[in-house]
Every structure is written in C-alpha cells, then in structure tokens.
Amino acid sequence: MNQSTFTNKQQLECLILGHYDLGFDFHENLQRSRGLTSGEYRNLRMDFITLDGQKMPYLNVLNHLSDQRLHWTEMTQVAPVYLASFLSGLGIDADFSSFFYSQRDELNELLSRRPKVVALTTTLYLTPLVAKEVVKFVREKSPDSFIVVGGPLIDNLAYHLEEADFRIILEDIGSDAYVQQKQGEQTLANMLLRLRESNDLSKVRNCYIKWNGQFVFTGAEAEFSLAPINWDNYTTKNLGSTLQTRTALSCPFRCTFCDYPVRAGKWVPQEITSVEHELRQIQERSNVRNLVFIDDTFNVPADRFKEILRMMIRNQFTFRWYSYLRCNIMDEELCDLMARSNCGGVFLGIESGDPDVLKIMKKVATPEQYLRGMKLLNASGIMTFASLIVGFPGETERSVENTIQLLQDAGPTFFRGEIWYNNPRAPIYSKSKDVHNINGFGYKWRHNTMDWEQGCEMVLKLFKTVSNSTWLPMYDFDFWILPYLEGKGLTVDQIKNFVGACGDLLSMEIGLPRGGKIVTDRAQAENNLRQICADIQSSSFPAAAVAYSS
C-alpha cells in the first residue's frame, strides 16, 4: 500500500485523476482497424516486437523478461498534481491519484471519501474511448460524484467535430460536465465554488452542461493562471523517485508544424524565485532522484536559463534533471552549467537536418548549429535524444539524406524519426496549405514534394541507415521513460543495450537492417535480449530476481 495517510475522512471536495492506460492490445487493435498499410499502423509497427508468441512494446518486453510491472504512469504527472495544488491554494479540499497498480489502494481510499467532484485530465488521450472507460470506473466506485472532463481531448474534439457530432461524443463519454478552455483550472475552481451553493452551473463560463436533456455551452471567458506546485501539500504521499514540473506556459516559438502555441496561448515564464522555492521543496523529498521539466523550450531565453542553472548549482540540488532543449543555441558555458547542475538528458526537437526544410518549419536553426550543439552536449556527458519529423512539406529523398548525415556526424544517444502528422490547426496547413499544395489530414497526406507512403519509406530508411545513434520507439518507451527507468536503477548503457537488442528483433520482423547491421539468427538475437534483461534484473531489481529464481 502507498505511504499516504488518510487521517481526515470527511467528504473530499475534488479528486483529480491522472492518465488511464487501456493497454497495448487496445491500441494495436485500434490502429490495426485503420489497415496494416495505414500510416498509423506503420508508425506503430516500429514500436513493438513479437516474443513468446505475443506482440509486445519494448516496456512490456522488459517487464516480461525481468518480472516487473513498470509503466510510465507510475510517475507523478504534472496535470493532476498541479490542479490539486492550484485548487488547494484557493481553499478547496482537493487531492489527486493515479491508476498505477501500486497506487490503487490510495485511489480506492480517496474514492471511498465520496468526492463531490471527480475531475478527469486528458492530456495524452487520443480517443474519447479512454475517457469513457474512466467515467464508467468512477460511476461504479463513487456513483454520487459529479464527474467533470476537461483538457486537450475536449478541446481537440470541439475543434475537429461538427457541433452536433461533438454533442453526441459528449453524451457517449458520459460525464456530467465538460470544461473547454486552453487552461481550465480556474474554470474548474469556479465550478467547485459554485457547487458549494447550488447545482446550477449555467453562470460558470467555459463549460458544457446539461440543459433540457442536452449539452449546451455556457459561453467563453478568458482565464490565466501560473502558479508553482506546492509540494508541501503532499509530504505524506509517496510520489516516487521521478517527478515532473514546469517553469513556463506555452512556447515562445511558432514552428509551422506545431499547434501547441495556438492552443496554449502566449508564452509566460514563472519568476525564478518561485521556481527556486518549488525546487527546494522537491529537494526536501529525500527519495526524489529525477526531475523532468516539461517546458517546451526550457533553455529559451538563454539568460533566464543560465540564471536557473546557477540557482540550481547554488542550492546544490542532488536530483538529476531532464528537459526539452533547443540545442542550436548551445555553447561551452551552457553545457558546463548544465553538467554542474546535474542534467541527466535532453529531448532535442531537431525535426530535420536539411536547411530548406528547417526554414519551412520556421525552426530558426541550421544543421551546423544542431551539429555543434549535439557535440557539445555529448562531450559534457549529457544524454541526448534527437526527435525527427519525416515527410514535412519540402521534404525530398535528398533532404532525408541530409538528416541521416547530421545524425551520423552528431551521434545523439538516441533518435527517432516519425512520419509527419498533418494537423489542420498547425500553421503549415492553416496558413500555407495552398503554397505547398497540401491535401489530406493526419498520417494520410500529399504535397508538392512527397506523399505519406514515401514518408513511411523514408522513416524506414532512417532506421536502416543511421548507425551512430540508437533508435528509440515511441509507444511507452520514448525519451520521457528514460528518467523513470534511471530512477528505477537502470543505467543509460543498460537502456541502450536493451533497446538495441529489441531493435535487432524488430529489424528481422520488418525485413530491414538496423543501422546497417544485418541480423539473421533469431534464436541468438532472442538469447541476447534475454541475457540483457537477466543482467538488468539482477543489478537493478535484485529483490525480484531472488523471488523469480526461487
């Protein structure tokens, strides 16, 4: 059972629930339904192997072969903890919980307190089916609770669907009310404060509520809030060894492939004194080994970034930290500060190694800057992950060759190429679709220089050709799983060896070399993977290894 203590048994005013995962089989079947040759399935096919007669994403493989139940949802996610902290700051009795198996006792205990409102975050939900399952779960456990669903899922559904279809989806999800606002925390607070007095929510803006048997919108109203998380509220909770936080809202850049600044609004940073206070609270949690900053561009502006790093060094924080990073602005001083402040790794949105594609993306970067930045980071001992978009307007076979050459020259620790997803909310489509003759949506598109099927082939070319970096899957094992695994005791070398061994089996299954390496002996490749997992089990999970062998 969790370390949480429940000394106060009165009715909880609001319980916020984190991510719920329906599992790989659900996801694989969903993508399979689109067709084995669809962009969605071809993208997913690079994320799993077949072992012992089962299709397994990489984390499932690690669990299967080392007798573990690891999952990234064990990490405390920003959305639920931030919402609970924000509401508590307004005098609202709020708490949060996870669906991870080891935290189910805590979840059941909190639901037994008959929360007046249960709020569902949807940051990573790609389908309303997941939200529907969570609503069903809450109804069974706490039938009298008023359920509210908000976040990106609702915002995306409202944007992409006709109003009548959107209302049908809201009915099908089954929640009592929905929040549609870029942020939404103040709207949730207004709803909770109103419910203290009345069940009539018609005057609370940014909501879909039931009126005469159907959902109606209460009208839009701007809101803004940016507050540090008060981790002192949760001293009795076991939040694990890896935490997440943020120091700013939105992103100061306007890359043409990304709709995040459109959805999130203006970039606003926190005061560094507030950041320092929060980090000191985290440092006081003796079991925290890793901290993930989820800011889209943590190191911009550079002067603010340097000030934060110097503050972290001055405080002698012992946790390692990870973040998104724009490596085109890196220099020796920044890398030195990052290393001295215990930077464990960075996510690099490289996107392309071709100057013309980067210009169309408005990345405000050049391949030469990327190369210098990645080499400086590598020399400083900082793990790097290069994320790439393949098939963006302007992409050609030659531009892909330039990306491959950049990866070969720079040698990031990990990399991943993913076919471009044509998001109609992104500027490249909403403002420039006629310039590039863009047709189609999602993973099925074509434009002046490429179509989605060619894009899929170019992704395979990256996998086949790049030999100076390790391919990292996306499903349940992208960059953000790395601090979680390091918090569990795995080293970067162990992770690389494991991912590489899985990649060898994947290369055999898709019929392509991996980084120029041709693997022909399936039995030997499987034995190698099993041995690597056995070594991980004995060194990182010794208690499980003893139990498993007895």
Side-chain angles (χ1 to χ4, degrees):
M1 184 171 174
N2 246 321
Q3 295 297 316
S4 298
T5 57
F6 306 98
T7 58
N8 193 342
K9 298 292 184 179
Q10 83 274 10
Q11 183 181 29
L12 187 64
E13 204 163 1
C14 184
L15 174 61
I16 299 124
L17 297 182
H19 185 82
Y20 181 75
D21 188 76
L22 286 175
F24 178 72
D25 288 345
F26 168 83
H27 187 68
E28 196 267 342
N29 286 330
L30 181 65
Q31 304 310 328
R32 178 181 286 270
S33 70
R34 305 176 192 274
L36 294 179
T37 59
S38 67
E40 289 86 349
Y41 196 85
R42 292 182 69 175
N43 196 50
L44 178 66
R45 186 61 193 89
M46 305 302 291
D47 292 343
F48 69 88
I49 62 174
T50 301
L51 187 68
D52 294 336
Q54 301 178 61
K55 295 174 184 173
M56 296 186 193
Y58 286 25
L59 190 57
N60 287 19
V61 172
L62 181 59
N63 285 332
H64 177 67
L65 295 180
S66 63
D67 196 34
Q68 295 297 300
R69 297 178 67 180
L70 304 172
H71 198 269
W72 60 268
T73 54
E74 186 180 4
M75 286 187 290
T76 301
Q77 306 296 298
V78 166
V81 68
Y82 172 77
L83 274 173
S85 175
F86 177 81
L87 296 176
S88 296
L90 297 175
I92 296 169
D93 184 17
D95 208 335
F96 66 92
S97 191
S98 161
F99 285 96
F100 189 69
Y101 81 93
S102 67
Q103 294 157 6
R104 283 298 180 104
D105 285 344
E106 178 191 64
L107 174 58
N108 290 331
E109 178 72 27
L110 290 169
L111 286 169
S112 75
R113 290 175 59 185
R114 300 174 292 108
K116 189 168 186 179
V117 172
V118 176
L120 278 54
T121 59
T122 63
T123 305
L124 299 175
Y125 290 175
L126 302 179
T127 167
L129 294 174
V130 186
K132 182 178 179 179
E133 283 296 312
V134 180
V135 169
K136 179 182 175 183
F137 171 84
V138 175
R139 292 273 186 239
E140 293 172 352
K141 295 286 186 177
S142 184
D144 295 329
S145 293
F146 187 85
I147 302 176
V148 181
V149 179
L153 175 68
I154 303 305
D155 186 53
N156 288 331
L157 290 172
Y159 178 85
H160 290 290
L161 298 177
E162 297 291 336
E163 184 68 18
D165 294 333
F166 178 57
R167 293 174 193 269
I168 290 172
I169 294 296
L170 297 186
E171 289 282 356
D172 188 57
I173 292 173
S175 185
D176 296 303
Y178 299 87
V179 172
Q180 188 195 348
Q181 216 283 333
K182 289 178 180 178
Q183 287 190 274
E185 50 261 48
Q186 187 60 56
T187 298
L188 179 59
N190 294 341
M191 185 181 293
L192 286 158
L193 294 172
R194 178 61 179 168
L195 285 170
R196 287 178 175 179
E197 304 170 357
S198 169
N199 290 329
D200 180 8
L201 298 175
S202 60
K203 297 189 184 305
V204 179
R205 298 293 180 247
N206 307 320
C207 298
Y208 277 88
I209 61 171
K210 273 290 184 68
W211 186 264
N212 291 332
Q214 67 175 359
F215 281 102
V216 296
F217 191 54
T218 58
E221 181 178 81
E223 71 169 68
F224 173 78
S225 58
L226 177 60
I229 295 170
N230 185 359
W231 295 95
D232 285 349
N233 289 344
Y234 312 111
T235 55
T236 60
K237 274 183 177 285
N238 181 358
L239 302 181
S241 60
T242 302
L243 300 182
Q244 299 180 353
T245 192
R246 66 181 183 185
T247 75
L249 285 178
S250 194
C251 177
F253 293 91
R254 294 294 182 269
C255 301
T256 59
F257 58 83
C258 180
D259 75 334
Y260 179 60
V262 177
R263 292 186 286 107
K266 182 181 178 181
W267 178 76
V268 182
Q270 281 186 3
E271 294 291 334
I272 293 178
T273 52
S274 297
V275 175
E276 182 174 16
H277 178 71
E278 182 179 341
L279 297 189
R280 284 178 175 175
Q281 289 183 330
I282 291 172
Q283 174 68 26
E284 290 172 2
R285 303 184 70 91
S286 59
N287 66 328
V288 175
R289 299 176 61 179
N290 298 312
L291 179 64
V292 178
F293 293 99
I294 66 165
D295 307 45
D296 262 42
T297 45
F298 187 42
N299 64 321
V300 176
D303 288 344
R304 177 179 184 267
F305 184 51
K306 289 178 182 179
E307 191 174 347
I308 290 175
L309 296 179
R310 292 187 182 112
M311 174 270 290
M312 295 173 73
I313 294 168
R314 185 173 63 250
N315 280 276
Q316 298 182 339
F317 295 138
T318 56
F319 50 75
R320 289 173 300 197
W321 63 269
Y322 303 76
S323 76
Y324 291 101
L325 194 87
R326 285 207 163 221
C327 74
N328 56 299
I329 68 167
M330 297 307 297
D331 57 26
E332 289 86 351
E333 181 190 12
L334 274 174
C335 284
D336 177 64
L337 290 171
M338 288 172 64
R340 288 167 55 202
S341 61
N342 297 326
C343 178
V346 286
F347 181 112
L348 308 176
I350 300 297
E351 318 309 355
S352 175
D354 183 81
D356 294 331
V357 174
L358 290 173
K359 287 177 183 176
I360 296 173
M361 290 178 168
K362 293 189 177 179
K363 283 292 292 182
V364 197
T366 66
E368 292 77 17
Q369 290 171 332
Y370 281 155
L371 177 60
R372 171 179 164 79
M374 282 189 275
K375 285 191 171 183
L376 285 171
L377 290 164
N378 290 343
S380 299
I382 296 170
M383 177 179 63
T384 52
F385 168 69
S387 177
L388 303 150
I389 295 172
V390 181
F392 194 74
E395 188 87 276
T396 63
E397 191 163 353
R398 178 59 186 164
S399 68
V400 174
E401 290 287 351
N402 290 336
T403 298
I404 291 171
Q405 191 60 53
L406 173 63
L407 293 172
Q408 294 288 72
D409 292 343
T413 317
F414 300 100
F415 81 103
R416 167 67 192 236
E418 186 173 7
I419 183 176
W420 173 54
Y421 182 89
N422 181 18
N423 181 348
R425 299 179 78 170
I428 190 66
Y429 185 85
S430 63
K431 297 180 180 179
S432 305
K433 64 177 179 179
D434 293 334
V435 174
H436 301 284
N437 194 26
I438 302 172
N439 292 280
F441 297 103
Y443 289 116
K444 193 171 186 178
W445 45 261
R446 68 177 185 277
H447 50 68
N448 284 337
T449 59
M450 192 169 282
D451 62 34
W452 69 274
E453 291 177 298
Q454 291 172 302
C456 289
E457 291 302 314
M458 293 299 101
V459 170
L460 294 177
K461 187 172 185 177
L462 286 179
F463 177 85
K464 178 175 69 173
T465 308
V466 175
S467 58
N468 201 23
S469 184
T470 301
W471 175 274
L472 201 65
M474 292 293 290
Y475 183 89
D476 276 1
F477 214 100
D478 64 0
F479 173 80
W480 304 112
I481 198 74
L482 303 181
Y484 169 70
L485 292 177
E486 286 195 88
K488 291 292 185 180
L490 276 74
T491 66
V492 174
D493 284 341
Q494 285 179 319
I495 296 170
K496 283 181 65 175
N497 290 338
F498 167 74
V499 171
C502 288
D504 286 345
L505 292 174
L506 175 62
S507 73
M508 296 185 71
E509 292 176 8
I510 63 176
L512 288 174
R514 178 179 71 87
K517 176 184 178 182
I518 299 174
V519 184
T520 58
D521 190 329
R522 171 86 192 194
Q524 182 178 352
E526 279 197 19
N527 287 337
N528 181 47
L529 174 60
R530 293 178 191 277
Q531 184 59 55
I532 288 171
C533 289
D535 292 342
I536 290 173
Q537 184 181 26
S538 62
S539 62
S540 300
F541 316 125
V546 171
Y548 190 68
S549 62
S550 60

